[in-house]
Every structure is written in structure tokens, then in C-alpha cells.
Amino acid sequence: MSPSSLPPHRRIAAVVVLIPVVVALALWAFAWPAARTAPRDLPLGVAGPAAATAPVEQRLERREGAFAVHRYADEAAARDAIEQREVYGAVVVTEQGPRLLTASAASPAVAQLLQEAVARSAAGSGTPVTTVDVVPAAERDPRGAVLNTSVLPLALAGVGAGSAVTLLGLRGIRAVAALAGSAVLVGAVAAALTQSWLEAVPGNWWAVAGTFSLTALAVAAAVAGCAALLGRAGIGVGGLLVVLLGNPFSGASSAPEMLPEPAGAIGQWLPPGAGVSLLRSVSFFDGAAAVGPALTLTWWAALGLGTVLLADALRERTGKAAPASAREPATVG
């Protein structure tokens, strides 16, 4: 039974009930992480002699559950860990006093949080804390606003492509070609705007464009795959999954470790969160820690496109079987 065949009073009731439910879900998905933003096992390094770093570690551990402390022998090892995206920053204990190493490219919000936390912990010693930004954000976008706001447009582009393929009746190879072609163009346009024009996303242009394309393809394939399984209702399911969960759970404006559990972990398994992580890696960190998010996006793209192809193959097989059975002569008993 199609929705249009329902009695008018049932359609009115469906709208009256459905819209508040969607609004409640959207408010929960966006407001809950924002209201509960705080460090949770945030990777932070401590470097220097064990005797000198012990008081620093004790002060950090007083904020129970806030930081996951990693110990390094010296500043060089701590810098390397930051550049490999193992930690967001590190406190280096020197004879001249503590030095904080940060990476605003990994998250400007986390870099600011670390400065405040370390300055607060060192307030009693009377020694000022020197801050060094090891991997800085783009000069034209020091707060990472362009990168953060790119999540929603990419998600909407993917949802739009997946919806268009379904509503236009494209199937099989044609659908896959349309989704892939759309993703390639989305990636090129996004790279042209964010890097060539705004100069907010550095790195290799082709790697940046490829990241945007893979993210858009993962979203579009997920939506088209859901639609291939569930019909047009799958468009809504895929859109809700990507926009209402993937976008706020991505940690783009802060970091996955700043979101309440398990929102941060869920976000990294969805295309928007994986796309942001991959973009940071290829843009600022020479590809460090890029394998995980790249595999996540590839998995979504492959699964979605595979579902589209499989659904078309099953549809053709069913269509061929029906005429064949109709041509079989009736058996006389």
C-alpha cells in the first residue's frame, strides 16, 4: 500500500507524529555531543626524564579519564608522535621549564584545550609554559572552519547523488557510473574551492580531491545501496544515517575523543567522520594515520555499489525466470 492510498486522516496523523520524531532525533544527535564535549582518554604525550615528568603526569591524571598519557624519552620522540598522529600534543619537561607541543592542524579546539589545561596545572609552579605548534593549521584558516564546515556539504552531495540515481531509475552499471562520475566532479569542485581559492586545505591537490571524492562516493553508495534494498524508503534511512548521525558524530569541530561515548567511535565508522580524519591526514600530516579512515570509506563505497549491482542482477534474474515459467505448458494429469 502506497502512502497516497492511505485515508487522509491517517496521512495527517503520520505527518503530525513523524515531524516531531525527526526533530527530536536531530536535536538529540546534534545537541547531545555539543553539550557533553570534554576530553575522554585524549592521547597526550609527556617527554623528559622520568623523575622530572612524574609530577606532570600526576597533575594530568587528576583529571580522571580526561587524558591517555603516553611517555616519550625526549622532545624529538614527542614531535615524531605528534606528526604521526599518535597524540594531539605533548608536555616536554626541560630545565628552563615545561614546553607544550601542539598540533592545531589535528584540532584547533584540542590545541586550545591543551594550552589551558597545561597552563592551569603549571600555575602553582610560577613557571610560564611555552607553546610550540608543531603542525599548525592553514594560515588562511587557523581555526579549521573551512575543513569543519565541509562535512555537511559533502554529506548532502552524496545523499543527493544516491537519491537522484534511485529516483531516475538508474540501475546496475549505469547507476555505478553515475555515482562514480558525480563523486569525481564533487571532489574536484571541493578541492578547487577549499584549496585553490580559499587556501584553507593544504597538501597535494590530487590527494585532497581524491579524499573529497572518496567521501562523497561512500555517502552516495550508502544511500543508493539502502534504496536498492528498501526501495525509496532507503533514501530516508541512508540520509538519516549520514546526516543526522554521521555529521554530528564526526568530531570535525573538535575531535572524536572530545565526544561522549560511544558517539566518537560511531562517527569514525561513518563516512563523514572517516572523511574528515582522512582529509586531515593527507592535508597536514603527509598521510600519517590515513589507512584506517581510507579503508572505512572504501568499505562503505564497495558495499553500497556492490548492493546496487547485486540488486540489479537479482531483478534481471527474476524477470527472466517469470516469462520462462509462463511459457511452460500445463501438465495434463
Side-chain angles (χ1 to χ4, degrees):
M1 179 182 293
S2 63
S4 59
S5 64
L6 293 174
H9 68 278
R10 290 192 178 183
R11 280 180 275 169
I12 294 173
V15 172
V16 170
V17 173
L18 182 61
I19 298 304
V21 168
V22 173
V23 170
L25 177 61
L27 286 174
W28 167 79
F30 282 87
W32 173 53
R36 297 291 185 269
T37 299
R40 295 171 177 83
D41 290 328
L42 188 76
L44 177 63
V46 174
T53 59
V56 176
E57 293 181 29
Q58 291 175 1
R59 286 193 291 269
L60 292 174
E61 289 172 354
R62 288 173 187 169
R63 299 183 62 175
E64 186 176 354
F67 300 106
V69 178
H70 298 248
R71 298 168 181 82
Y72 300 100
D74 51 30
E75 181 174 340
R79 283 176 174 267
D80 183 67
I82 293 173
E83 292 170 353
Q84 295 301 316
R85 301 200 69 185
E86 296 175 4
V87 293
Y88 283 93
V91 181
V92 181
V93 180
T94 66
E95 295 180 356
Q96 293 76 26
R99 181 184 296 117
L100 173 64
L101 307 179
T102 63
S104 59
S107 172
V110 170
Q112 182 178 357
L113 180 145
L114 292 179
Q115 292 181 43
E116 296 172 355
V118 173
R120 192 181 303 113
S121 65
S125 63
T127 305
V129 179
T130 303
T131 302
V132 179
D133 200 346
V134 178
V135 187
E139 184 178 352
R140 293 292 186 90
D141 188 30
R143 297 184 179 180
V146 173
L147 188 146
N148 299 342
T149 54
S150 68
V151 178
L152 183 57
L154 282 177
L156 294 177
V159 172
S163 302
V165 164
T166 302
L167 297 177
L168 292 174
L170 296 177
R171 299 173 181 173
I173 297 298
R174 290 187 177 88
V176 170
L179 293 172
S182 173
V184 169
L185 290 179
V186 167
V189 170
L193 291 174
T194 59
Q195 186 179 100
S196 304
W197 178 42
L198 297 175
E199 299 180 8
V201 181
N204 181 274
W205 192 93
W206 295 103
V208 171
T211 298
F212 281 128
S213 295
L214 183 57
T215 303
L217 179 61
V219 175
V223 173
C226 288
L229 290 175
L230 305 175
R232 293 190 176 186
I235 297 176
V237 173
L240 290 174
L241 181 67
V242 172
V243 176
L244 289 189
L245 288 183
N247 187 49
F249 288 7
S250 67
S253 60
S254 55
E257 294 85 358
M258 297 286 288
L259 302 180
E261 296 179 353
I266 293 174
Q268 293 307 294
W269 283 101
L270 295 174
V276 169
S277 294
L278 181 59
L279 186 59
R280 290 190 189 279
S281 292
V282 302
S283 298
F284 299 98
F285 294 89
D286 295 326
V291 175
L295 288 177
T296 298
L297 293 173
T298 302
W299 179 82
W300 276 101
L303 185 61
L305 296 179
T307 302
V308 170
L309 292 173
L310 180 61
D312 182 61
L314 292 176
R315 189 181 296 110
E316 286 188 1
R317 184 175 180 180
T318 303
K320 291 178 180 179
S325 60
R327 290 194 300 268
E328 291 180 0
T331 302
V332 179

